[in-house]
Amino acid sequence: MPEPASYQPAPGVTPALDVPAPVSGAAPGPAIESRGQFRLALERFAHHRLALASLIVFVLLLLMSTIGPLFWHYSYTAITNQFATAPSAQHPFGTDLIGHDLFAQAMEAEATSIKTALLVAVIATVVGTTIGAAAGYYGKLADALLMRFTDLILAVPLLAIVLVLANRLSKQAGSWFWIALILGFVLWTNLARQVRGAFLSLREREFVEAEHAIGASDRRIILRHMIPNAIGPIIVSATLTVALAILIEAVLSFLGLGIQPPEVSLGSLIASGQDAATTLPWLFFFPAGLLVLTILTVNFIGDGLRDALDPTQRVHR
């Protein structure tokens, strides 16, 4: 049998060259950076300029009200020999009719409002998350009982509840701590409904069913898996609760049912300066402006957190 002839390329045709194998150690292509949810949320929040600016302003207000009195040369209870003086370098916010330095009183009032609101947010978040998680996870009878109780609280006007409790606890209600307790135990309802809705959706997910299959306890499933997946609405609701608590506390103090002397709050300063708003405007406009600024910054921070924790949002480039 004749041997096959060796392959000869056709005239004018260049034979195919063997492609060399990639050399080990060659420079790799552009790497894909993996980013977790927390980092993505931080990037989204950092690109929300209004929320970032509001956070800076809120931190400055917090530092001014907590650390500022340590370096200011007037105490909020000190009475000077200057009565109803206009703002100056010595008294940036002026003085009131008694001789109090309004800047020192405003710093103390801001600190009182912020610490009251933060305690309200902590209490409302713990109570609302607990009730909402139990209702959404267990369902059936627990869901029915807990949600009917929540609807009962929602059916009664919030201000009426607070006014009645403040009136019944008149002596204790004069302290910011008791005001925070009252507000914290009535401002949890909206968060409870949000957490319940999130848990109703999460309990049908595969990872929850897998935890049930391996015999994980309800406590472990709720604390280790379901609450971290519902942390977005919880954080946003807690932030907005801070702004709401500042406003309600100011209203109570303005009506004389909130924080009582010798403690001061923005609401009590506004109430004492409203009669002199036309003749001594700094007594009214500085506390009122500080209250509006604080509420606006907290609300803008909440808006930024809502956008940052929304998984459908993308980072602006």
Side-chain angles (χ1 to χ4, degrees):
M1 185 174 181
E3 296 181 358
S6 61
Y7 169 74
Q8 297 292 333
V13 178
T14 303
L17 300 178
D18 294 335
V19 179
V23 180
S24 61
I32 299 177
E33 182 183 7
S34 61
R35 293 176 291 182
Q37 289 185 348
F38 181 72
R39 182 174 175 181
L40 288 174
L42 286 180
E43 291 180 3
R44 296 190 195 105
F45 186 84
H47 284 82
H48 199 299
R49 296 181 180 179
L50 185 58
L52 187 61
S54 299
L55 179 61
I56 295 174
V57 173
F58 182 77
V59 171
L60 291 177
L61 290 174
L62 182 61
L63 293 177
M64 180 193 74
S65 60
T66 55
I67 302 178
L70 300 177
F71 302 95
W72 191 241
H73 43 272
Y74 292 108
S75 170
Y76 77 98
T77 57
I79 298 178
T80 66
N81 56 0
Q82 301 181 33
F83 309 105
T85 58
S88 61
Q90 185 178 4
H91 303 284
F93 287 5
T95 60
D96 60 11
L97 297 173
I98 303 176
H100 292 120
D101 179 72
L102 190 59
F103 183 71
Q105 288 207 322
M107 286 192 295
E108 179 66 22
E110 179 74 9
T112 301
S113 297
I114 290 178
K115 65 186 179 183
T116 301
L118 292 178
L119 182 57
V120 170
V122 170
I123 295 173
T125 300
V126 172
V127 175
T129 302
T130 302
I131 292 179
Y137 181 78
Y138 293 106
K140 298 180 181 179
L141 181 59
D143 184 19
L145 293 176
L146 292 174
M147 285 301 100
R148 296 300 75 77
F149 174 68
T150 304
D151 294 338
L152 177 63
I153 300 298
L154 285 171
V156 182
L158 174 63
L159 189 57
I161 298 176
V162 175
L163 289 176
V164 170
L165 291 176
N167 187 37
R168 293 293 299 273
L169 301 174
S170 56
K171 294 182 179 180
Q172 294 90 340
S175 170
W176 69 268
F177 179 78
W178 289 99
I179 292 294
L181 287 181
I182 294 172
L183 294 179
F185 283 108
V186 297
L187 292 180
W188 55 267
T189 51
N190 289 330
L191 177 59
R193 295 173 70 91
Q194 294 180 18
V195 173
R196 171 187 176 268
F199 270 56
L200 287 176
S201 174
L202 288 171
R203 72 178 185 178
E204 306 297 333
R205 301 283 293 272
E206 291 80 3
F207 66 90
V208 175
E209 296 179 356
E211 287 290 323
H212 281 298
I214 63 176
S217 64
D218 293 340
R219 180 174 176 270
R220 174 183 172 84
I221 296 174
I222 292 174
L223 296 180
R224 297 289 300 274
H225 299 283
M226 299 185 73
I227 287 183
N229 280 277
I231 198 66
I234 294 174
I235 293 178
V236 173
S237 179
T239 305
L240 298 179
T241 300
V242 172
L244 182 60
I246 292 175
L247 180 59
I248 295 177
E249 181 273 321
V251 171
L252 288 175
S253 298
F254 181 84
L255 297 175
L257 296 173
I259 295 173
Q260 304 294 326
E263 296 181 354
V264 292
S265 72
L266 294 175
S268 61
L269 291 181
I270 294 172
S272 61
Q274 64 172 340
D275 294 333
T278 55
T279 57
L280 306 173
W282 59 88
L283 296 181
F284 175 80
F285 287 106
F286 278 120
L290 199 57
L291 175 64
V292 172
L293 179 63
T294 305
I295 294 175
L296 284 179
T297 54
V298 176
N299 279 329
F300 288 143
I301 292 171
D303 291 339
L305 288 174
R306 182 188 294 112
D307 295 340
L309 296 172
D310 186 356
T312 63
Q313 296 286 334
R314 293 185 178 180
V315 178
H316 303 286
R317 299 185 183 276

